[in-house]
Amino acid sequence: MQETTRSLAPSRSSWRVVDIVVASVLAVATGVVFWAWSLAYGGVAALFLAFPPLGGLYTGGWLIAGVLGGLIIRKPGAALYCEVLAAAVSGVLGTQFGLSVLLSGAIQGLGAELVFLLFLYRKFTLPVALLAGLGSGLFLGASESILYMPEWALQWQALYTVFAGVSGLVLAGLLSWLAVRALAKTGVLSAFASGRTADV
């Protein structure tokens, strides 16, 4: 009887309806943030004209969806799903980056997803969140250097990637971890392990 009950129970990695709904709502909300972040980029970019690689410090705002989704849903594919959907929403709303945001979202989401995979989707502590933000940022920096700034010197590309990693660590990693802790205290995450455990 116990074997039958165990076989009928959902696995830790299977998605529930509530996971899909919350991940989608989260992605749409952060997609609007991505869109607003993109609108501000034009003005902010002017600050980095003297040394363009510093622009990597601004990129962390586009990485929040993946890390936040991974920390809340805690299922394989959550970081990638949330980042790609958020990017799609920002693209639909309209940004200067056009449909390229879909490719960017996939690459950035993969950076965070691989970190959660590294810990087998079992640890969601602050260090893991920081690493997920860092991974997402490094993937962003490396991919953008190759795809959009091939004319830059290798040193500039490397610096841009490092700055993007730092931005991802702080803006996506740390802020997402703090956001999950704050949400957990309100009780809105009671349907998730992230809302019932102390290691969020």
Side-chain angles (χ1 to χ4, degrees), residues 2-19 74-76 122 191 196:
Q2 285 185 333
E3 288 295 326
T4 303
T5 303
R6 193 178 299 117
S7 65
L8 292 175
S11 69
R12 290 170 56 99
S13 62
S14 61
W15 282 56
R16 306 165 298 168
V17 172
V18 67
D19 296 328
R74 299 188 171 189
K75 298 289 177 67
R122 292 178 183 275
R196 301 189 299 270

Side-chain angles (χ1 to χ4, degrees), residues 41-138:
Y41 178 73
V44 173
L47 299 176
F48 305 126
L49 287 178
F51 190 59
L54 284 173
L57 294 173
Y58 186 79
T59 60
W62 287 304
L63 308 174
I64 294 172
V67 180
L68 189 58
L71 291 175
I72 290 177
I73 307 300
R74 299 188 171 189
K75 298 289 177 67
L80 184 59
Y81 174 80
C82 289
E83 189 71 23
V84 171
L85 182 54
V89 169
S90 70
V92 169
L93 291 175
T95 75
Q96 66 268 46
F97 305 114
L99 292 179
S100 67
V101 294
L102 294 176
L103 175 60
S104 297
I107 294 171
Q108 295 153 18
L110 182 61
E113 190 73 42
L114 290 176
V115 172
F116 292 123
L117 173 62
L118 180 64
F119 292 93
L120 302 177
Y121 302 98
R122 292 178 183 275
K123 292 192 69 174
F124 299 90
T125 57
L126 175 59
V128 174
L130 295 177
L131 283 174
L134 175 64
S136 190
L138 292 176

Side-chain angles (χ1 to χ4, degrees), residues 15 18-28 69 73 78 81-82 85 192:
W15 282 56
V18 67
D19 296 328
I20 298 171
V21 171
V22 171
S24 300
V25 171
L26 174 67
V28 170
I73 307 300
Y81 174 80
C82 289
L85 182 54
F192 300 91

